[in-house]
Amino acid sequence: MRNIQSLIQLRLFPFLLLIVAGFLFAGCEQAVEEEEFPYETKLVIRGLLEDGQDIKEIFIGRTLPVAVPFRADFSNLPDAVVSIRVDSLRYILKHSKDGLYNAPAGVKARAGKTYELLVSWGGYSAGAITKIPDVGSVGGVFMVNSVNDTGKAIRVMSIEVTPRADEAYAATWLAFTQSGQIYTEDTKYNTVVRKLPGAAANTLQILSAEVPASYASKPQDLGAGIYVYDTSFYDYFKTKGSSKLSDAVFGQPSTSVKWNILGDGIGMFIGRSKTVKAISSSQ
């Protein structure tokens, strides 16, 4: 398989403008001249591949200069050429609506597979490579005491995993119904962890965000969602400035975020797997 870096030219610039920059600056009292801000057209890409799910809703858009008011029909790109390659097969993705592209019906993402995304539009090219991890070995799930940023005592879920070098891990707390269905799940991560080079420990501890008191009082109904990503998500999470789940914030442009899109683009194209495990005991 040709390496994507040989298919597209890697050109990273020191400044990337927000796709909604025109909207954000429209209300400033002091007029801002467009030339005061460096502008470079970039493709904006966000895509999440989940094990066992259809490959769909890969967003393709473009950045806008400061002087242009934000318009979805201008920033979303319905006429890009988008493809995904897995194994020896390449699938052409079709635009559905609002800049979202889908693979042919029945094409699903699979754990253990590597996916290459290529996007071209208007003379610009970008892409990325991601692997959907296998879930791997997950140990016990416990509710433990912790302390938040203000020093308040809280309860969180603690999960032990046996990490692989090319994976990153995050967790959420969740609650089950009496029939074993997920009743509710947290919408943010406390942190993302990975096995660091040279680390001696064979396991990693993942902590969820705070479990609300109303749920912590019924630990028998609790569990954890364990999310496994390829390691590029670790750098993205550490630099994006938000703990919300990834699929809610992919494509949020910023100069400091470490994207995994190469070429004339910004954003994330990432694979993940998820497993759910009930609480082992409370502490």
Side-chain angles (χ1 to χ4, degrees):
M1 181 178 68
R2 298 176 62 189
N3 190 290
I4 192 170
Q5 292 175 329
S6 66
L7 300 178
I8 59 178
Q9 181 181 8
L10 176 59
R11 295 183 294 172
L12 300 180
F13 294 85
F15 298 100
L16 300 174
L17 294 182
L18 293 175
I19 191 172
V20 295
F23 174 78
L24 293 177
F25 282 92
C28 295
E29 294 182 2
Q30 183 178 356
V32 178
E33 297 296 329
E34 180 181 354
E35 58 266 21
E36 293 182 28
F37 291 86
Y39 172 69
E40 181 75 19
T41 298
K42 290 285 186 179
L43 299 176
V44 178
I45 299 170
R46 63 174 182 263
L48 179 67
L49 303 184
E50 297 190 86
D51 179 34
Q53 302 299 312
D54 292 337
I55 297 177
K56 62 180 183 178
E57 298 186 351
I58 308 297
F59 174 79
I60 309 297
R62 58 173 162 173
T63 56
L64 301 177
V66 170
V68 177
F70 176 75
R71 286 173 43 197
D73 61 344
F74 184 77
S75 62
N76 300 342
L77 298 178
D79 56 348
V81 178
V82 185
S83 68
I84 284 182
R85 179 173 177 169
V86 55
D87 297 328
S88 60
L89 300 175
R90 185 172 293 279
Y91 300 97
I92 302 299
L93 277 60
K94 299 297 184 181
H95 181 259
S96 58
K97 62 177 182 178
D98 302 329
L100 300 176
Y101 288 75
N102 301 330
V107 178
K108 296 183 181 296
R110 299 296 182 187
K113 298 292 186 179
T114 297
Y115 294 83
E116 176 193 59
L117 175 73
L118 288 178
V119 179
S120 63
W121 174 85
Y124 299 94
S125 297
I129 294 176
T130 190
K131 181 179 180 179
I132 302 179
D134 291 304
V135 171
S137 177
V138 179
V141 175
F142 304 96
M143 187 162 61
V144 300
N145 295 320
S146 186
V147 177
N148 66 12
D149 294 338
T150 65
K152 175 187 173 183
I154 60 173
R155 301 281 274 171
V156 301
M157 304 304 294
S158 171
I159 305 95
E160 186 178 84
V161 299
T162 302
R164 298 186 179 97
D166 58 349
E167 296 175 354
Y169 305 85
T172 59
W173 64 264
L174 52 82
F176 296 102
T177 63
Q178 290 184 346
S179 62
Q181 301 299 310
I182 296 176
Y183 170 70
T184 188
E185 182 175 0
D186 198 5
T187 59
K188 59 184 178 297
Y189 296 149
N190 174 48
T191 190
V192 174
V193 297
R194 60 168 295 189
K195 184 176 182 179
L196 298 177
N202 294 323
T203 60
L204 283 177
Q205 181 190 38
I206 317 171
L207 298 178
S208 74
E210 178 181 3
V211 180
S214 58
Y215 290 102
S217 64
K218 300 178 181 179
Q220 69 277 6
D221 297 334
L222 297 179
I226 299 94
Y227 293 85
V228 189
Y229 295 86
D230 79 31
T231 49
S232 61
F233 184 73
Y234 175 86
D235 292 332
Y236 165 74
F237 184 88
K238 295 298 183 182
T239 58
K240 70 186 177 64
S242 172
S243 60
K244 290 183 179 180
L245 292 184
S246 61
D247 48 357
V249 293
F250 277 170
Q252 173 191 348
S254 169
T255 59
S256 60
V257 174
K258 292 186 178 179
W259 311 108
N260 74 338
I261 298 297
L262 301 177
D264 305 317
I266 56 175
M268 290 295 291
F269 174 68
I270 201 78
R272 80 176 181 192
S273 296
K274 177 187 179 182
T275 190
V276 171
K277 195 166 184 178
I279 195 169
S280 304
S281 64
S282 59
Q283 293 182 349

